[in-house]
Amino acid sequence: DALALCHKRKIVHKDIKPENILFLPDGRIKLIDLGAAEFGRANEAQGDLFTGTLRYSAPEVLLRKPLGPMADLYSLAVTFHDLVMGMEKDVSLPPDPLTFPDEARDNLKTRGVGRLLRDILHKCLDPMPKNRYADATALRAELGKLPVGVAAMETKVTPSKRVDDATVERPAATGGQAPAGAEAPEAAPDQAADGAPLEAAPEANPAAGRPLP
């Protein structure tokens, strides 16, 4: 929302990176540091002095080409990648704009990020600004289309449900015997192996000398 407001007011932040995104104790997220921002110059030529952080700067920023909100979306996607991967990066070197989009998509897959979200981030990392979303408002609208529950992560689900475009297979449950020649599906988290709803086991009375379950 903060970035969408910036773009609405024709402000390009130009320095979106992990250090400039604060997670507040009340759950809010705050975007800080407008020291490198371009005010009222969206889609216009940049000045001669480079401002920003090399690793998170869009290719057009580094090449001193006309700048627009799409540059912030590139920076935001790199930021998301680094936060999810949890890797220390050399911020003095920018990623290769031609290879990084595919590398990032593959890296995020190893962390369980869903295909739909990976595709959105891949678009944000396109080296050509015109191929990205127009601004943060457009990106937010696209993110809002993601299915609830699988928007970010490829979580394991029962065989009757789907994650992205592929059904996730689950291992056989240990609480029952599978039919001959077949694997029994794992029970859903709210069901026992026989399909009955799970009920919390009564806590043992310590006074009775029985151990707690």
Side-chain angles (χ1 to χ4, degrees):
D1 290 346
L3 191 57
L5 180 60
C6 285
H7 293 169
K8 183 178 180 180
R9 296 182 177 178
K10 296 188 180 299
I11 300 172
V12 180
H13 189 284
K14 272 187 68 178
D15 201 19
I16 303 292
K17 59 184 179 180
E19 292 82 355
N20 287 339
I21 300 175
L22 301 183
F23 294 84
L24 304 182
D26 60 4
R28 291 182 300 153
I29 300 175
K30 180 178 289 188
L31 180 63
I32 65 171
D33 192 359
L34 292 170
E38 297 280 354
F39 292 84
R41 297 179 56 186
N43 298 309
E44 296 184 12
Q46 304 176 59
D48 295 330
L49 180 64
F50 170 79
T51 54
T53 306
L54 286 175
R55 173 161 180 80
Y56 300 99
S57 295
E60 63 269 25
V61 175
L62 300 176
L63 295 174
R64 321 304 298 148
K65 291 186 176 181
L67 183 67
M70 297 79 74
D72 284 342
L73 304 188
Y74 180 95
S75 303
L76 186 64
V78 179
T79 296
F80 181 89
H81 169 272
D82 287 0
L83 288 174
V84 170
M85 298 306 298
M87 297 179 177
E88 291 293 333
K89 296 294 183 180
D90 183 356
V91 297
S92 66
L93 295 174
D96 186 327
L98 298 180
T99 61
F100 185 67
D102 289 339
E103 291 174 3
R105 183 161 56 182
D106 292 342
N107 290 342
L108 293 172
K109 184 177 181 179
T110 68
R111 288 293 193 269
V113 177
R115 179 186 61 82
L116 297 176
L117 182 53
R118 293 199 310 270
D119 287 348
I120 290 175
L121 294 169
H122 188 270
K123 182 172 181 176
C124 290
L125 291 171
D126 195 292
M128 299 297 294
K130 65 180 182 179
N131 294 335
R132 302 176 206 144
Y133 299 99
D135 53 26
T137 299
L139 173 60
R140 182 175 58 184
E142 194 67 18
L143 291 172
K145 299 177 183 178
L146 293 177
V148 176
V150 295
M153 308 305 291
E154 288 183 334
T155 53
K156 290 185 177 181
V157 294
T158 57
S160 61
K161 297 183 180 180
R162 299 175 68 84
V163 173
D164 291 342
D165 59 348
T167 300
V168 177
E169 295 183 0
R170 306 194 66 182
T174 58
Q177 297 294 327
E183 292 184 356
E186 182 179 348
D190 59 346
Q191 291 182 336
D194 59 1
L198 282 179
E199 295 182 2
E203 183 173 308
N205 184 356
R210 298 197 303 272
L212 289 174

